[in-house]
Each structure stands twice: as structure tokens, then as C-alpha cells.
Amino acid sequence: MKILSLDLIAFGPFTGTVLDLSAGQEGLHIVYGPNEAGKSSALRALRQLLYGIPERSADDFVHPFSKMRVGGSLQSAGGEVLEVVRRKGRGGTLRSADDKSALDESALERFLKGVEAGLFATMFGIGYDDLVAGGREIVQGGGDLGRLIFAAGSGVANLGAVMEGLQAEADALFRPSGQKQKINEAVGRLKQRRAEFKDAQLPGQEWVRHELALKEAVQAKAGVEAELAAAQRSLSRLQRIQEALPVIAGRRETLKALETVAGAVRLPEEFGERRRDSLTRLRVAQSERNLAAANLAVLGKAVFELEDPSVLLGQAEAIEGVHQDLGSQRKAAKDRIALAARRNTLRTEARQTLRNLREDLALEDAERLRITKPEAVRIQELGAEYERVVTRIDGTREKIPEQERALAVVVARLQAFPKPRLVDDLRRRLAEAEEVLPLEKQMASARSDAKAQLQACGQAQARLGLSATPLQDLSRLPVPSIETQRVFEDRCDGLDRRLASLVEEIRKTEADLAEIGRRLDEARLVREVPSEGDLAAAREARDRGWRLIRRKLLGESLGVGEVGDFTASCPGAGSMIEAFEAGLRRADETADRLRREADRVAAKARLLADQAALRDRLAKLAAELTAAQREKEAAAAEWVGFWQPLSIETRSPREMLQWLSDFKILVEKTVEALEREAEADALEKPTDDCRTSMALCLQALSEPVEAAETLSALVRRARSLIEKEDQIGRQVEELSRERVRLAGELDSARLRLSSLEEDHRRWQGQWEQAVQPLGLGAGTRPAEANAVMEELKSFFDKLREAEVLQQRLEGIDRDAEAFSRKVAMLASAVAPDLAGRSAEESAGELQRRLTAGREAQSRRQALQKQIDQEQAKLRKADGAVAELEGLLKAMCAEAGCKESDELPEAERRSFRRRQLEDRLRQEEERLVHLGSGSTVEDFVKDASAVDPDGIAGEIARLKEEIGRLTAVKSELDQRIGSERTELGRMDGGDKAARIAQDIQAIIGGLERDVEHYARLKIAGRVLALAMERFREKSQGPILRKASGLFNRITCGSFDGLRTDVDPDGNPVLVGVRNGGQETVPVDGMSDGTADQLYLALRLAGLEHHLEANEPMPFVVDDILIKFDNDRAAAALQALAELSKKTQVIFFTHHRHLVELAAKNLSGSSLIEHGLE
Amino acid sequence: MLKFIHAADIHLDSPLVKLGAYEGAPTGEIRGATRRAFENLVQTAITEKVAFVLIAGDVYDGDWKDYNTGLYFVSRMGRLREAGIPVFIVAGNHDAASTITKSLRLPDNVRVFPADRPATLRLDGMDVAVHGQSFGTPAVKIDLARSYPAAVPGCFNVGLLHTCATGREGHEPYAPCTLETLREKGYDYWALGHVHRREVLLLDPPVVFAGNIQGRHARETGPKGCVLVSVDAAGRPTPDFRPLDVVRWEAAAVDAAGAENGHDLLDRFRETLSKRLELNPDVLTVLRVTLEGETAAHDEIMSDPERWVNEIRAAVVDEAGEHAWVEKVKLRTQPPPAGGRKPDGAVGELLALVDELVAAPEALSSLAPELADLEKKLPREFREAAESWRPDDAVWLKGLLAEAKPMLVRRLLQGRRDA
């Protein structure tokens, strides 16, 4: 197959781009598309034309899916050509060349020869990635011959990866000694579950054993529990008695002691307490009385001894005022020293400042230097203005040279422009030509229409059998008109109808006749119907007999012959009489039948009449039929006569109608086509004229014009020329405007500068005037003037501060004098002894004396309060002594004593009696408790029956017994518990069943994995077998070719290839160099060389394939980008060589490869295509 | 009116065979299926207030040794005892082989027929006579029915028998009998067990195989359960099937003929699936999916079978969630008859080799050694159970090879279609 053209109708970035691949013997077609030009899209389009556009295509960024189309024209090896269009979609995507109808995919089969999409891409395509992958595989595979030959023959670049993939997937599933692989892991899991399953199962005997054991243990436990209860009861009784024996003895003792205190008075329990309390309180009251009297004596003496401070206290307020003023006096004296020092310092500083400003002036004359506020402001304003004026002058001076430079540049650019060409004439011509342009298109379209139509007419003509007649003569052919045909058709139809109706009528008439004949036969067969003639004959026979009989009756004699005749005329009659009677009967019968069968008679008569009429009609119809047939033959002959001159096969008028209408259409179409042709001719002249004048005009503008250039091409050129000139004009105009603008700006800058300089001069005069009061000259700068003003301000500030301090010092001296006077006056009033002391000393002493006076006053008040309290205590103690003595007397009466001294003995006896009664009660309570329900007397009796010496031994024995029984019981409890646990575990649970289900799950999963593993292993094995077989079959020819190609592509660096054996004895491929002396293993080749080896093998495989198979286009995608120029050229030559056997389509992004091909390949084998 | 239940072939605790789990499969739902089905049986007996329950053999699975299964059975029988329902059992071949039956004490409402002779057991307070005989050994080859006692006059007579009847495919030929023998006994109902497929052998009197109560593998398809027999006043029995199963096996065959591609095929499967699911709304349906027929999608499917099996599982998870499980997907599609000629070249050589191997089974056996390593490692349970492991079988190898071919071609030519 060869691809004649690839029509990128609407695909990827393309709209209506056509790659014409028909050139060349088969052709090495280099399709160049720079990046983004859609090289890859074109490559995809080529494959998708043949095999369909995939569901998800990225080539819809310009044309939506519904509009995507790739067209193409294919040629089979046998020369058959197929034009198709491929659209995107789910079905019916292969379409006829006009995209109007779907084609069956089988239409392509004849061209593709069973090569499906994957195989086409793999075996008949090679890309850069394949080359690299193939090269890498060669190196990694160590030259394995089977792999290399298979890769060469299939185009599968990653064969090693496929084989390893199969192996790796299988290995991930299973390895003979693995653990973690899916199958190994599942088998391991299965084994583990199997063991668990074994453990989870519960054997039947075990359950029975445990159940029996449980039952026995429960019974045994019941027996032990009964024994244990009895022993515990005995133990408890003995223990109670043992505990009660000392109590019983104690009770006996208590009863005896009670008898000794039987007469004692039972005093209340707190009686003793009360007595002791009363006595104690009496003693306390007596001692309080004595103490209060002593205290009163001491206090009276102390009051008497105290001094009287009342005079001093009368002046307390004045003394305290003086003492307070003393603090502020002391502070003022201290401040005065610091203030005097500060005043002196300020005066010194002011004097210093003045000396710096004006040495000639004394401090007192300084006032002359003071300037007014407005004068100071004026100096500051002028200083600020100076800055403004100077800055603007500097700025303007800098800008002027820049503007001069810019102006010079614009002027230079203006001068550099070429002189504009005058294109007004061309513009006029173009306007004219644009009017004519549609005519040229119209002409082309008319021509192509005419051509297509004439071709269609020619085909129609052949179909009509008129090939011999020239097309333009068709309309003059003596073809019968459609009207004539209609007349003939009607005539023939009329005749046919008539013939048919005649035949039908004859058939019907014949059928009627037959029917009548049948009915007549039928009537005859039933019985002959008598006729009137029959009746007349019967009557005649009767009358003849009657006449004979009458003659006999009348006595006439009858001739023997007469009678004999008559008798004989009636067969069966023996006598004349009998003959007469028979004749009479027959006549009657005939008459009766005639009457009776009158209908049948009439019917028969009618049938006979009808029969005659039908026969007449039949004869007439036959004659008409013959006439009609003759007429039809005549008409047919006449029809044929009409067609004689055309010498085509004449059919019936109806059949010829189609021919006539086709002919009519043909004639119309022919006329139309010829008209179109004429139209084209008519348009040619104005177009040509226009083109010539356009060409002249262009030449006048020194534009060369080629003869083949169409009007539209010239129009395009004219448009672009005018466009260009217009652009130049626009640029010149713009620059001129710029020049004017710049010159104006420069002038105004110069003006501004002179006006600024004038401002500066005016300022100078004002400044001189302003700084004069400061004693400064005209040359003083504003900053200096400001500094002098600052100094003056500081000088005046210091003088003012010194003045304020002087006033404060005078105030302090006044206050000190007033204080001294006030103190002296107070001292003479309250403390004349202080006269002659300083004011400060006197004020301090007065304050001290006031404080001592106040303390003496408060002491006197405290003593008076104590005297009051002691008198109150004395009164209270006297009351208490009397009350307590009464109370003690009452208590003696209660205890039956005369004196309170006897009270303690009465209390002791009462206490003893009460104590013994309590003990007895406790003992009896204890016995009731131990007797466990019996009365005290019964229990004492029961206890006395027991041998006190044997009781301990018996208790020990019982305890031992109980311990033994408890141990047995506990053991039984444990046994019951463990048996219950065991049985509880055997609860009918489904653990084993669950594990069994899990095992089935593992088997189920395993089954899937095992199947997959088997598939992978078998696939790997089959692939290896196929590789080996292919190697055996194809090794020789492929290696021979590959060796030559390798030599060529490596530019002789290698002599070729040959087979060798690796250390393991496997056949491998090696490179040969230096005249066969040196072999290079493939893993010793550089990446580039390995790539070239792969290419050599692929091309060899392809050539080998082509020897036995029809060619298929070989699609090459930019494989040479990493080859150096020499090897790339050699590879291109090899591809050119291949292109003699099959079409080679080489896509590339690289311009230099196209150039390299152009340089190294003869023109005939290389066809270049651009995608731009 | 009298009602009783006839069940058989319970095979308590025997697992559902080869249900390999996969992502999204409702693994929890298949646990303890036979127990849950048995619970359903007990519950049905109680709800329907039946007079008695008949179990026609094979309560246990023959080689099942876990006594817990027996204890569980006893506990369920205890529930029937509480409900006042007696149970009559004949031991089947599996029960005879089971070690569980030897020492298990059943509650007093359960009566097991003797194995040494046929016997007639009467139901207290009712005119019902049940005749039966247990299997004493796992393989009973004689016709037990022949020596069953004559019908008791005035009673409703039931024959309880574990039998292969006249022989049933896939079932051991134990205690064979003819319908004639059964009819001649003059009983009113014959409750048969042993054959797992439900079948009514005779209408008058009804001779019925109840089938098992829970399907356990892919060949036991459709609803499984017991027969609820109602006896009217005139003593005429009417059997009525009651499904008890909790997991239902179904074969879902998808006709792939004419499917354009894999997704087309998947759509067809979804249709089949939703029909199946509609049929079994209340139980977990376990599907064995078979794709068969000539289809253009064959190569696409076979070139990556794992993927398409997963697609089908995903469709089931999607559509049915917890209600369905894919037991296995059998890819049995065929490619459409080849148009055009075979390609030449190396790939052609490979395809030709595959065709040759498929045509010559003896050559196939040369592939078997590839699997020898695995063969050695496969556990006993697997080799006994697996259908898809027969490395000695040429047909099996052939199938495998036919599956491997598109996979191989895809790998060799992968990714090149639109490069």
C-alpha cells in the first residue's frame, strides 16, 4: 500500500491542509514541521485515518469532535486507489471521499492486509523513543540473538521489558521458595488456618468425659457440705461454753460482795462533784475579797503623788504652731545657698555670650541688640526664598543640553528615511483589479464546473448508448419526442387492453357455450322431454284404434291386415283392444307430461336458442381478435421505425420513457456545461487585461513580475506594497511632529533661565537691608544670620532668669526675721527660764515640755479608773461567800450527815454499791448472749455439765476436722468450675465452621491467582518459543542485511555484525571492526552506536519482510536528532534506499535534518513537505 | 388439619465452597450460612405450629468432626421441644459416617429410627404413623424401602427414607428403590432425602425430595429450603416449598454475541445482574458469571482479564452492595471469525505458534513443566477442590493458551496504537 495523499481536513491545528505523498517511486517523504506546527498531530492523523480516531482525542482544540475529519487517498500494490474520509465517532466512521456515505471498514482491508493498528504502529513505525528504548534493550540484553532478531522482525522495542514484566508479575504471585508472594502467602495462610481448624474442633468423647466428671463432683460436694455443717455446730457450742465459764465464776463473786453494801444511801452520781465544787468556789470568793481591799490602798497613794501641768497645756496650740514653722525655716535657709549660686552662674554665662557677639558692649548696654519679631521673620522668609531661587536656576541649566541632544537624534532619523515611492497609480489599479478579482474566481469555478459536468455528461452518454455522437450534436439527434412516446404508449396500451378484453370475452363465451352444452346433456340424460309432435302422434295412434273399434262396434268387418297392423303398432299388445287401450293411455300420458313438464320443455327450448346465439358471437369475437393483433403488429413496426436512425436497442414505449427522460436531462446538462465553458471563456479576457495593467504598474515601481503569477497574487502583492509605503509615510509624519515638539520645549527652557537670574538679583538687595540691624554685611549667608539670631535669644533668656532668682532670695530673708520674734514672745509667757536662748532652741524645748505635760495628765485619769474597778470587785466577793455557805448546809442534810466533813465517806459507800450492781448486770447479759437463746440459769446448768479440762482438746479436734472438710469442698468447687468452663467452651459455637469457611475463601482466592500465574508462565514460555523459531527462520537474511546497514550507518566505523557465543554458550550478536580482527560485544557499544545498531536491525527486519509481503508505508518520527551529521546522512541514505521498496514518511521538527537530506540525497528520492 | 415439615440434607456447618474474597465482597454475610438456614427451619416450624418435623437424613457432613456442631443441633432441637414439636430423623450416609452422632444425647422430643431394621413410630395423641430406617453404615446399597412395614390402617402414614431413588446424577447410589415399591406400601406421603435438588417424583401419593436447605457450591443453584405439608380433613397431603436459605447461588450467563467492546459487555452484564437481583430480593446472591459468545470485545477482555473481572465485581458492589457476591467470572467469549489474513513477521510467527499449539495437544504438554514448581506447592485442599487446575489436561492448557494470546499481543504492541 502507498498513501497518495493525507488530507488534514479538520484535525488538530489543521484546516484543509493537504500532504501530497504521491510522488517518488515509493518515495522518501520528509515532512518538516517546526515546534507547534502540528507535526505530531499530522503523524497521529496518518494513523487514525487508517484505524479510526480514538474515543479520547486531544486533537479537538480547534475542531470539535463532531467536525474532526482526516481524508486520504490510498493505493494498493495492485494499483487500486481508494479515497476515504475518517470522522470521529462510535460507528460508521469510515466515509466515502465526499463524506456523504459510510463505507464498510472492509473496504480498507484490501489495503491493510491484516495489519491491525498496534502492529502498524509497531512494525511499520519507529520513533525517537523506540530507538532509544531499542538501543537500551540491546545493551541490557547483552546481544541475545533471539531477542534481537525478534525485535528486528516485529518492531517491538521493549521486548526485554515485556519478558521481564511477565516474569515479574508471575514472581509477584509465586516463587518456589518464597514466603511473601501472593500464592505462597495464601498457601501459608491456608496451612495456618488448617492448624487452627484442627484445634478448634471438639472431639465428642471429650464432651462426654467432662459432663460425667462434672456430675460426680457436684454430688461429692453435697456430701462434704453436710458433714461440714454438723462439725461447725458442735464447735460453736463448745466455744460458747468455754467462753462462759469465767463469767459464771465472776457472777458468783459479785453476788457475795453486794451483800456487804446493802444499807448504803444511793446518792446521785454527781453528788461528790457538786460538793467539791461548792467548797472550791467558797475559798476563791474569800481570797478575792482580801485582794480588792489591798489594791485600793496602793492606788490612793499614787494619785496623791502626781504634778499639775495645766499652765503649759493652756498654750499648747501656740507651741505646736511654732514647732511646725521651725521645719520650713530650716529648709528655706538650705535653699538660699543653692539659689544664690545659680544666679551668679547665669550672670557669668550671659556676660560670656555678649563678649562673643559684641566685645564693645557691657552687659547693661546689651538692650540695644534686641531686634523686633517682624525683623526676625523677614530674615527667615528671605533665607527660604534664597533656596527656592537657586534650586530652580540649577535645574533649568541642566535640562537644556538634554533637550538639544534629543532634537539632534530625531533630525538624524528623519534624514535616514528613504524617499517615498508614489503609489497612487498602483492604488487606482488595485481598486480596479479588486472589482475584476471575483471574475477570475468565477472563471475558475466555471471552468471546473464545466469540466466536472462534461465528465458526468460523458458517463451518462455512455449509459444511454450514444457514445458515438459528439456531445454538442446530441440536441440535434432525431430522437422521438416524449409526446410521440406517450401517443405510442397510449396506443399500445389501448391495443393491449382491447386484445386482453377480447381474449377474456372469448374465454367467457366459450365457457358459457360449454355450460349450455352440459345442461342440455343433463336434461337429456334425465329424461327426454315430450314435444307437441309426440302428443300429436300418440293421439293419431289412439284415433286410428278408435276408428277400428267403432267400425267393429258398428258391425263393420275389419280387414285382418288392418287389425294386424294396428296391433303390431303397439308392441306388447295381444289384441286390437289392448293396442287401443295402450294407445289411449299413451296419448293421455303424453298430454299429462306436456302439461306437467311444461317448464322443462320451455327451458330446453331456451337453451337451444342460447346455444345458437353464443356460437354466432364466438365467431364474431375471433374475427375481431385477428384484426386487433394485426393492428398491434403494425404499431410496433411503426415504433421501431422511429428509432431506426439512432441505432440503439429499441424497447417498448414504456421502457423507452426512462431513456427519453435521461436523454432529456443529458441534453440539458450538456447545454448547461457548454454554457459554463463559454462563460469561463468570456471571463478570461477582462481578467487578463486587468492582470497586464497591474503587472505594468508594478514593474513601473521596480517590482519584478513573473509570467505565471495570477491576478489574485498580484493583487496581494500590490496590497502589501501599498501597505508598506503607507507605513513609511506614517512614520515620517510622526517623526516630524516629534522634531517640532522638541524645538519648542528647548526655547521655552532658555527663556525660563533668564527670568530666574533676574529674581536672584532682586533678592540680593532685600537681604542686605534685612541683616543690617544684626550688624551683618551683605555677603552674609542666610544660615549665618539665623545662627546670630539664635545666640541673641539665648543671651536674653539667661539675663531674665538671673533676675527672677534675685527676687526669691530677698523673700527668704524676710520670713526668717518674723519667726524669731514670735518664739521670743511665747517663751516669756510660759517658760521665762528660756530667755537668752536662740529662737530655734527655744522652739524645740517648748515642744518637749508640752509633750511631758500631756503624759502626766493621762496617767492621773488611768489611776482613777482602776480605783473604781477595785471597789466593784470587793462588793461582788462579799455576796458570793454568803451564798456558798448556805448551799453546803443543804447537802449535809441530803446525805444524812451533821457536818460537811462527813460527806466524803457517804459518797464512797454509795459508789461501791452502784459499781457491784453494774457488774452483775453485765455478766448476766454476757451469759444470755453466749447461751444463744437459753435462760441464764439453764445455760449455767448446761455449762456445769461439761468437763472444763477436756473442752480445749475437743475444740482443737473439731477445728481440724472443719479445715479438712473445707479443703475438700474447695477442691470440688474448683473441679466443678473447671468442668463447667470446659463444657461452657463446648457451647455449640461455630469457630471451626468459621475457619472452614475461611479456608474455602483462601482456596477461592488462590484459584484465581493460580490461574493468572499459569497464564503468565505459559505466555512467557510461548513468547520464548516464538522468538527461537523466528530466529531460526530469519536469522540469516536479517543479519546479512543488518550487517551491511550497520556498516553504512556507522560510516564504516564498524565492518558489520556477526554471531558469537557468550560464556554460557548462548548465541549472541557482536560488532566487527578492523577487518574482522576485533569484535565488540553490544554491551561495550556506546549508547549512540547501540541506537544505530537497533536502527540497522529494524531496517533489515523491514526489508526482509518486504521480500515476501506487499509494501506498507514506513512512518519514521524524528529518529535522527541525536546522530552526528555523518551518521544522520548515512541513515537518511539507508532510508532512501528503503524507499525504493516501500513508501517512507519521515516526520521531523529539525530544519537541519531537512537540509542534510537535501544535500546528501539525490533529488528524485527525496520529497519535502512543509507543515507551516 | 395437620401440618408438618419435611426437610433433609442439612449438612450443618459445612462451608460454602471456594468463595474467594475480594474488595467490597460482603464477607460477613456468608459466615454460618448453614446454621442460619437451619435457624430458619426451626423458626418456620414454630411459626407454622407444625405437628412434627421430619429430617430425611444427613444432618451432619460426613467428615465433619467438631462436636460443637452436634451441641448446636441439640440446642435447636431443645427449642422445638419447648414449642412441643417432635422430630423424626433417619440417619443418612453422612450421619452414619459422622463421629458426632456416636455420643450425642438428643432431647426426648427427637426420635431417631433404628438402623438394624425398619420401624414404625406413632405420634402421641394423633393418628399418624411414621415409618423409617436409618443408615447404619455410610454405604447402603440395598433397597431399604422394600422391607418397610405395611401402612397402619386408620392412620396418616409417612415414609421417611434416605435414598438415591432410581439414581440421580452427582449423588451416590445408596438405598436405591423404585417408585413402584414406594407406591405399593400404601403410605400417604414419602419424605425423601439424599438428593440435594428439590424434586417431586410422584404426585399421588406425594413422593418428594426436599433438597438441601442451603446451597453450598456453584452447582447448587436457586432457592433451597424445606417442604411444608398440609394434610386436609380427608387425609390428602399438599406439599408447599418454603425457602430457608440465606445465601443463594445463581448462574449468570451473559450472551456477549455482537457486543462491540468491553463496556458494551459490561452493560449487558448489568442488565443480567439486575434481573437476578430482582429474583432474589431478600437473600445474598452468589453469582457465577459466565461471558460467552462471539464478540469483537474478546481481545480487549482477554488481553487484561484481571481488569475485567474486577470491573464485573465492581459493578456488583455498585449495584447490589451487600446483597451479592461474585464467586467466579468465567471468560468464555470467542473472537469473531477472523477476516483478512494473518500478519507476517515476528508477531505473525508468535500467533502462528499459538495456533499450532492449540491445534496439536501433544505439543501443549511441553508447556506443563512451566507449572511443575507450583504444582508441588499447592496444598491438598486446593487440588481436591479446584476446577481450574489441571496441568495434565490438554484442553485446560489449550484454554489457558487461548487466554494468554491476546494478553501477550497487547503487551508486545501496547501503547502503540496512538503513539
Side-chain angles (χ1 to χ4, degrees), chain A residues 9-84:
Chain A
I9 301 166
F11 190 91
F14 302 108
T15 308
T17 302
V18 178
L19 281 179
D20 180 358
L21 302 169
S22 60
Q25 187 183 347
E26 293 298 342
L28 169 56
H29 298 268
I30 296 199
V31 182
Y32 165 69
N35 284 329
E36 309 301 325
K39 184 207 82 173
S40 307
S41 290
L43 179 56
R44 277 196 294 280
L46 191 154
R47 291 192 174 135
Q48 291 171 10
L49 168 68
L50 300 179
Y51 295 104
I53 300 168
E55 185 92 18
R56 282 190 204 126
S57 168
D59 290 306
D60 65 334
F61 49 90
V62 174
H63 306 284
F65 281 157
S66 61
K67 301 279 184 210
M68 275 169 79
R69 293 287 189 282
V70 191
S73 174
L74 313 174
Q75 186 174 39
S76 74
E80 190 186 351
V81 173
L82 177 68
E83 284 185 52
V84 291

Side-chain angles (χ1 to χ4, degrees), chain A residues 933-1152:
Chain A
S934 347
T935 63
V936 173
E937 294 312 320
D938 288 351
F939 182 51
V940 168
K941 219 159 105 194
D942 186 19
S944 59
V946 176
D947 172 16
D949 298 329
I951 200 162
E954 183 61 15
I955 283 175
R957 191 192 62 75
L958 279 172
K959 276 186 176 163
E960 199 179 314
E961 174 68 6
I962 285 168
R964 189 186 61 76
L965 286 171
T966 309
V968 172
K969 180 174 171 254
S970 153
E971 193 190 322
L972 284 171
D973 275 337
Q974 273 175 24
R975 198 186 310 161
I976 289 168
S978 87
E979 291 300 336
R980 285 223 167 102
T981 312
E982 281 298 318
L983 284 171
R985 248 187 309 174
M986 303 170 189
D987 58 346
D990 61 351
K991 189 176 171 201
R994 279 167 181 272
I995 298 173
Q997 187 63 64
D998 290 351
I999 288 176
Q1000 287 299 328
I1002 296 172
I1003 293 176
L1006 202 51
E1007 193 170 71
R1008 292 196 297 262
D1009 293 335
V1010 160
E1011 213 172 322
H1012 191 46
Y1013 174 81
R1015 231 177 354 242
L1016 289 165
K1017 290 300 276 187
I1018 295 285
R1021 178 81 191 119
V1022 169
L1023 181 57
L1025 281 175
M1027 277 163 50
E1028 189 51 27
R1029 280 218 339 210
F1030 188 71
R1031 182 181 72 79
E1032 280 168 16
K1033 275 192 193 170
S1034 317
Q1035 175 178 342
I1038 289 185
L1039 272 192
R1040 233 184 345 270
K1041 289 191 177 81
S1043 182
L1045 281 162
F1046 188 51
N1047 167 268
R1048 188 167 176 180
I1049 295 175
T1050 59
C1051 297
S1053 171
F1054 282 84
D1055 297 339
L1057 299 165
R1058 84 160 184 246
T1059 58
D1060 203 343
V1061 179
D1062 73 1
D1064 297 334
N1066 299 316
V1068 291
L1069 191 69
V1070 292
V1072 181
R1073 64 200 321 177
N1074 291 341
Q1077 287 173 351
E1078 188 192 341
T1079 58
V1080 181
V1082 291
D1083 47 12
M1085 292 178 183
S1086 71
D1087 286 353
T1089 309
D1091 292 356
Q1092 284 141 18
L1093 173 55
Y1094 179 71
L1095 181 61
L1097 282 164
R1098 281 297 312 279
L1099 295 180
L1102 202 60
E1103 276 188 33
H1104 176 63
H1105 180 78
L1106 289 170
E1107 280 169 10
N1109 293 281
E1110 281 186 15
M1112 278 301 262
F1114 185 51
V1115 181
V1116 184
D1117 184 11
D1118 237 356
I1119 56 170
L1120 302 178
I1121 51 182
K1122 291 275 170 74
F1123 284 29
D1124 63 35
N1125 276 1
D1126 293 344
R1127 294 196 180 190
L1132 281 166
Q1133 274 160 354
L1135 287 172
E1137 198 62 37
L1138 180 67
S1139 79
K1140 288 177 186 162
K1141 294 176 190 147
T1142 191
Q1143 190 178 27
V1144 177
I1145 305 172
F1146 186 113
F1147 286 89
T1148 182
H1149 273 321
H1150 300 275
R1151 185 77 236 172
H1152 82 271

